[in-house]
Amino acid sequence: MAKAPVPGRAKTRLAGVAGAEGAADLAAAALLDTLEAAATAFPPGRRVLALDGDLAAARRGRELAAAAQGWQVVPQAGQGFADRLVEGHRQAHRLAGGPVVQVGMDTPQLCPVLLGDLAEAAHRHGGPVLGPADDGGWWVLVTTDARQAAVLADVPMSRADTGRLTAAALAAAGHPALEAATARDVDLPDDAEAVAALAPGTRFAAAWRELASASGTLSGPTSTGAAP
């Protein structure tokens, strides 16, 4: 699930420090990192990009279009974000089969091994896997059947209790979820700095360092640890 990184539409909560174009550059870098990790974990035919917007109008649009080669790209559909998530799972199961490992573009620190492990865990469990986010939401939902994602339509999104409510809704529908490792979404400047420090070898970290250097107002990542 991704939004085309168009200035003014992508990562708007970072625009206060990065500006609209800088925020879109960070979003583009995060999406490129995510596409690369997923493409390493899963072969062509097993990758679906549910896209909101047009890559032709996006920052790094040509690079993103090249990275999306080998993906089945479908437009996001639905009235709200929850509906788009449900439809995204339905489309992915229809086009690529399951398990479906659904992530967004907010976790550029992801590594291919983790994505593959999540799919295998769902296969062994015979049901969903849900990864909580530090902010109370969730960063990954793995489904083994599209009907499991239908519960999302009744879960309020983008709240501090979205993760808990999603787990409860899955359990109430007879699909108790395994819990995956917690991860940090990039929503705010503190998140961006922490994730860039965690994965300094990513495009996202490079974009953050460039932004910090240009602005002189952000400290940027200082970690020298290896990227995941």
Side-chain angles (χ1 to χ4, degrees):
M1 300 289 293
K3 179 182 291 187
V6 175
R9 295 195 68 239
K11 288 296 166 204
T12 55
R13 284 184 282 182
L14 293 177
V17 296
E21 291 194 358
D25 284 337
L26 289 168
L31 180 52
L32 285 166
D33 287 330
T34 305
L35 290 173
E36 181 179 66
T40 303
F42 305 111
R46 288 281 294 129
R47 311 175 207 148
V48 178
L49 174 60
L51 183 67
D52 177 16
D54 183 3
L55 292 181
R59 303 290 284 189
R60 303 176 71 165
R62 289 184 180 178
E63 194 175 353
L64 284 164
Q69 295 294 314
W71 290 71
Q72 300 182 75
V73 182
V74 297
Q76 292 186 20
Q79 293 298 312
F81 184 50
D83 290 338
R84 295 199 300 273
L85 288 169
V86 173
E87 178 63 10
H89 278 264
R90 189 189 72 79
Q91 290 273 41
H93 278 280
R94 179 179 68 85
L95 293 169
V100 166
V101 182
Q102 180 259 305
V103 296
M105 52 194 287
D106 298 335
T107 47
Q109 71 272 34
L110 290 181
C111 68
V113 172
L114 174 59
L115 295 174
D117 287 348
L118 288 167
E120 180 59 29
H123 178 71
R124 292 194 307 267
H125 174 53
V129 177
L130 184 68
D134 283 346
D135 62 4
W138 50 268
W139 65 272
V140 63
L141 174 61
V142 189
T143 57
T144 55
D145 187 297
R147 288 169 293 187
Q148 294 160 6
V151 304
L152 298 175
D154 297 319
V155 175
M157 295 291 150
S158 303
R159 291 185 3 180
D161 58 355
T162 294
R164 178 180 62 81
L165 293 175
T166 302
L170 287 166
H175 311 297
L178 289 179
E179 185 172 308
T182 301
R184 186 164 187 167
D185 284 338
V186 175
D187 292 316
L188 301 172
D190 285 350
D191 301 322
E193 184 163 349
V195 167
L198 178 66
T202 58
R203 296 174 184 81
F204 178 82
W208 183 252
R209 286 192 295 267
E210 183 177 351
L211 175 65
S213 176
S215 69
T217 60
L218 302 170
S219 61
T222 57
S223 170
T224 58

